[in-house]
Each structure stands twice: as C-alpha cells, then as structure tokens.
Amino acid sequence: MNFLEKRILDEGSVLPGNVLKVDKFLNHQLDISLLKQMGEEWKKRFQDAEVNKILTIEASGIGIACIAAEYFDVPVVFAKKSKSINIEGDVYMAEVESFTHKTVNRVIVSKRFLGPEDKVLIIDDFLANGCALKGLIQITEEAGAKVSGIGIAIEKGFQQGGKMIRDMGYRLESLAIVESMDPEKGVCTFR
Ligand code: 5GP
C-alpha cells in the first residue's frame, strides 16, 4: 500500500453515489506534505516525459497542480469555469459534466496561455467517468499542444474513465486506483 492509499483508508470516507470524500487532506483542507509526496511521485513517473506546462481544472485541481509544478519547474494553467466567455477574450472551450454536481460547466483556457509549443502534463484530483479529462485533452489538442501525460491522484477504477483514457493511447499515471467502495461498511479496496 502506498502513502496515498494509506491516507485514503485512514481518513477518507465512502459516501453513497460512488463518491469518496477526502476533504481532510485533498479537497478542502490540503495536506501540503502529502501534496509534495504526490508531486515527487509524478516527477519520478514522468521523468522521461517532455513537460513545459501543467494544465488542471478549477477548483480542486489547482492546489495539487501548483505543488506538482514545483517538481517540474513549469507554470500551471487552470481551465476556468466560465458563464460569460465574452469578457475572457480569445479562448479554447470545452463542456464538462461535473461528476459530483451533475451540472454541465463550460470551461475555458485563454489562447494566450496554451499553444503549439506546449508539452502538457494534465493533473487532476479524481478520475471517475473521464469527462473532466476529456475536456482538458480537447482544449490541449485544439491548441495544437501535446498531451505528454496525465497525472491523477485518485482513480476510481470501477468507473469507465481510466479505461477510456488508456484506450485512447494516453499515458495515465494514477497514484491510487480504487477497485471497490462499500458505502455501507465505509471501506474501499485498491487495485
Ligand atoms: P469525471 O469527470 O472523471 O467523471 O470526474 C472527475 C471530477 O469529478 C474530478 O475533477 C473531481 O472533482 C470530481 N469527482 C469525481 N469523483 C469524485 C469522488 O469520488 N470524490 C470527489 N471528492 N470528487 C470526485
């Protein structure tokens, strides 16, 4: 069991609807030493990948991505949820269905911050059905940039996102892959 799996078992809780709550250390209160360990681990796993930018999505990806960026020594760009693209200028846009809120958000990245010269590591906290990742991949490729890799903190392996993204040929590194979750017993197992 690795450091993140142990933390999930010790402090995470399983909610109905296939939701894992990790707000003690990842989604509300942030444990910076844990985030540093995650950043170090992604750097190790992607040491041979070319990365000059990290892309994530607001809100919960931002903290994780910023700490990871210290290890890659690159800037972070986050896709913003936007109701009014008019004030944002020239943007790349994708529609992303939120797994936890069941709403569709329009997310945007300014064309000033992503382009054909970029080699992008996409970082996010969770991978469930893969909607958030699909949106970030779409924006990266529309910009003519390369997806060098994808780093996820917690993949829920019993949902379809991980298989879909790997089948599309992307290099996906999840630090913890949850195999099953039981809301009644409050336990989960890892792959
Ligand atoms: P997907 O787009 O892959 O279906 O879901 C990924 C997004 O939904 C993540 O950015 C994350 O914010 C949220 N999410 C998905 N599953 C969970 C979960 O079990 N717990 C929490 N806290 N967030 C989740």
Side-chain angles (χ1 to χ4, degrees), residues 18-20 27 60 99-100 124-132 156:
N18 284 335
V19 172
L20 181 60
N27 277 153
S60 48
F99 177 81
T100 38
D124 203 6
D125 60 342
F126 271 92
L127 172 55
N129 292 324
C131 297
K156 290 184 292 179

Side-chain angles (χ1 to χ4, degrees), residues 10-155:
D10 288 350
E11 292 182 18
S13 48
V14 180
L15 304 184
N18 284 335
V19 172
L20 181 60
K21 191 169 178 189
V22 287
D23 61 352
K24 266 195 185 169
F25 54 94
L26 200 67
N27 277 153
H28 194 27
Q29 173 168 257
L30 302 177
D31 180 335
I32 302 304
S33 61
L34 180 80
L35 267 51
K36 283 183 179 167
Q37 269 183 293
M38 290 164 46
E40 244 174 57
E41 182 62 30
W42 279 317
K43 178 65 187 168
K44 221 187 283 168
R45 295 190 191 196
F46 289 111
Q47 57 185 330
D48 58 331
E50 270 189 304
V51 175
N52 71 350
K53 204 159 273 185
I54 289 179
L55 176 67
T56 188
I57 183 165
E58 71 173 355
S60 48
I62 297 176
I64 299 168
C66 287
I67 302 286
E70 285 264 31
Y71 294 89
F72 288 86
D73 197 20
V74 297
V76 174
V77 175
F78 62 93
K80 293 168 82 166
K81 292 171 186 157
S82 174
K83 287 196 182 76
S84 53
I85 53 171
N86 297 347
I87 55 164
E88 305 286 354
D90 216 2
V91 296
Y92 304 109
M93 195 195 75
E95 301 220 314
V96 173
E97 189 182 329
S98 161
F99 177 81
T100 38
H101 301 112
K102 305 289 175 218
T103 52
V104 176
N105 285 304
R106 187 180 281 173
V107 300
I108 54 138
V109 170
S110 167
K111 290 190 176 174
R112 290 180 296 142
F113 303 130
L114 204 58
E117 67 287 358
D118 287 321
K119 296 164 182 65
V120 177
L121 175 64
I122 296 175
I123 295 268
D124 203 6
D125 60 342
F126 271 92
L127 172 55
N129 292 324
C131 297
L133 275 190
K134 263 189 1 198
L136 294 175
I137 290 169
Q138 182 192 320
I139 283 174
T140 306
E141 295 186 341
E142 203 188 322
K146 178 183 169 202
V147 178
S148 294
I150 299 169
I152 293 290
I154 304 172
E155 174 180 336

